Amino acid sequence: MTRRPLIELTDRGMYCAAGDFYIDPWRPVHRAVLTHAHSDHARSGHGSSIVARDGERVFRTRLGNSAVLEPVAFGETVVMPGGVRVSLHPAGHILGSAQVRVEHRGEVWVASGDYKTVPDPTCTPFEPVRCHHFITEATFGLPVYRWPSQRAVFSDMNSWWRDNRDAGRTSLVLAYALGKAQRVLAGIDASIGPIVTHDSVERLVVDYRESGIAMPATHCVREDLGREGLDGALVVAPPSVLGSAWLGRFGQVSTAFVSGWMLVRGARKRQAVDRGFPISDHADWDELLGAISATDAETVWVTHGSSNVLLRWLTEQGKDARELTRPKRGQAATDTSTRNQLPV
Ligand SMILES: [Zn+2]
Ligand SMILES: [Zn+2]
């Protein structure tokens, strides 16, 4: 009989049968472990969810007051049914982002969630965790993705803001409301002018502040406010405001998108923005390889992004590398009967 893998992919997401819990499930389950509060990982409706304590406020904002959260400190062990030991370790992606370490009968698996290894003042740095099986994300798993130095990008962003201010233009930074917006605020030179936030960004800025992360002063723009105090401002808002009436109040605006995708030729044009600043909360190619090697894993499971090139590269380096695939629609109806078996 082949031994069932400790973590496998089912139609509800990653599942640990030995401990009867899911990691980042995309359908309601009785017990979940959530790697971070981005909506493609943290969904509501679970019986209870283990989360990193650092991210508790952010999870609460995203999942609502009815969600049952089990906050744990990084490194703290939770013993699941069947004696499976679970602990969370910093992933360096956004505030409260965690890798999930699962140990059973001497075998250790780590599910990375989203991660990056470069320093970020808004969250605990990525911690390499040794394991037998490492499930890695690969959002930017191609050798063309190599992030420029953050110092250089922030210096460009500061000059762009200064030039706009001097020319009487508002600087609009489009950034995901959770994580990227706060990273921009932590890195920008706040002495250049006032910083204005969209309320979806502001709510999370408050969560970050209350979680002990230093944020510059911000002024939240709600629908009923006028133009005063906006001269020379840097406005931080989610990409969805582009082309909306919300922007009308700011007069002449220069727009910029902050994302790893800004390294891709044509991406800035497709977003219809004036500038693109390549700052990512995901590991680039070198960071992926560095993180994978630091785990010393015998088997690397690749998921969440461009996996083929990374799989081939790892295989060529003599690693046992496999794709963690999501079951095809209709193939796996329940967790117990028609499970999508991963090769062991
Ligand atoms: Zn994420
Ligand atoms: Zn993700």
Side-chain angles (χ1 to χ4, degrees):
M1 200 181 91
T2 10
R3 213 171 122 199
R4 193 172 182 178
L6 189 56
I7 297 176
E8 55 200 324
L9 202 58
T10 70
D11 59 345
R12 294 179 181 186
M14 281 182 275
Y15 180 59
C16 173
D20 195 20
F21 64 91
Y22 291 81
I23 300 172
D24 291 349
W26 48 76
R27 288 189 202 160
V29 299
H30 58 284
R31 203 168 190 199
V33 180
L34 303 181
T35 61
H36 64 291
H38 278 152
S39 55
D40 54 330
H41 297 260
R43 291 169 175 84
S44 51
H46 307 311
S48 74
S49 301
I50 293 176
V51 300
R53 181 160 289 143
D54 282 14
E56 192 179 352
R57 284 187 168 77
V58 168
F59 276 106
R60 186 56 72 200
T61 295
R62 279 293 164 104
L63 299 179
N65 280 329
S66 59
V68 180
L69 301 180
E70 299 178 64
V72 297
F74 285 130
E76 189 184 321
T77 299
V78 180
V79 182
M80 303 299 240
V84 174
R85 297 165 72 81
V86 170
S87 54
L88 301 181
H89 302 267
H93 173 61
I94 61 167
L95 180 61
S97 62
Q99 308 172 72
V100 184
R101 181 185 186 278
V102 181
E103 182 180 348
H104 185 54
R105 294 183 179 153
E107 188 175 88
V108 177
W109 286 60
V110 170
S112 74
D114 293 346
Y115 68 93
K116 68 174 180 293
T117 61
V118 296
D120 173 350
T122 66
C123 61
T124 312
F126 176 89
E127 175 196 311
V129 181
R130 289 170 65 90
C131 55
H132 302 103
H133 291 259
F134 185 51
I135 303 173
T136 181
E137 68 129 318
T139 305
F140 291 101
L142 293 172
V144 292
Y145 295 119
R146 285 198 166 89
W147 311 138
S149 96
Q150 294 181 70
R151 185 190 283 267
V153 177
F154 274 113
S155 159
D156 283 352
M157 211 187 294
N158 288 332
S159 324
W160 166 76
W161 181 11
R162 233 178 263 115
D163 292 348
N164 288 333
R165 179 198 63 190
D166 296 347
R169 286 186 297 262
T170 301
S171 303
L172 172 68
V173 166
L174 301 165
Y176 297 117
L178 170 55
K180 189 61 62 60
Q182 292 74 27
R183 190 162 169 215
V184 166
L185 290 173
I188 199 88
D189 176 0
S191 72
I192 296 172
I195 297 175
V196 166
T197 48
H198 185 271
D199 51 0
S200 66
V201 169
E202 182 65 17
R203 227 174 320 148
L204 291 155
V205 167
V206 170
D207 287 336
Y208 269 58
R209 265 192 210 115
E210 289 177 352
S211 305
I213 308 297
M215 292 274 109
T218 49
H219 310 274
C220 182
V221 170
R222 294 201 170 79
E223 297 303 328
D224 53 342
L225 287 185
R227 253 208 67 93
E228 57 284 19
L230 301 180
D231 286 343
L234 180 86
V235 180
V236 184
S240 56
V241 302
L242 210 57
S244 79
W246 187 84
L247 283 183
R249 79 195 70 214
F250 298 111
Q252 209 195 340
V253 170
S254 177
T255 53
F257 198 86
V258 182
S259 164
W261 298 113
M262 292 298 109
L263 269 195
V264 182
R265 193 190 295 270
R268 183 177 59 75
K269 268 204 182 122
R270 276 198 297 280
Q271 293 289 334
V273 289
D274 303 317
R275 290 291 296 266
F277 294 110
I279 294 180
S280 178
D281 286 326
H282 291 274
D284 70 4
W285 178 254
D286 292 331
E287 288 175 73
L288 287 172
L289 300 186
I292 289 168
S293 135
T295 64
D296 222 9
E298 290 156 14
T299 305
V300 180
W301 300 89
V302 180
T303 180
H304 211 54
S306 332
S307 53
N308 289 346
V309 175
L310 182 59
L311 282 171
R312 199 181 324 132
W313 196 93
L314 291 168
T315 306
E316 282 167 12
Q317 305 305 305
K319 281 267 182 210
D320 176 15
R322 308 174 190 194
E323 189 175 13
L324 189 71
T325 46
R326 189 170 164 163
K328 288 189 180 61
R329 198 168 276 281
Q331 197 180 358
T334 70
D335 297 325
T336 45
S337 57
T338 53
R339 185 182 308 279
N340 185 42
Q341 286 289 347
L342 294 169
V344 186

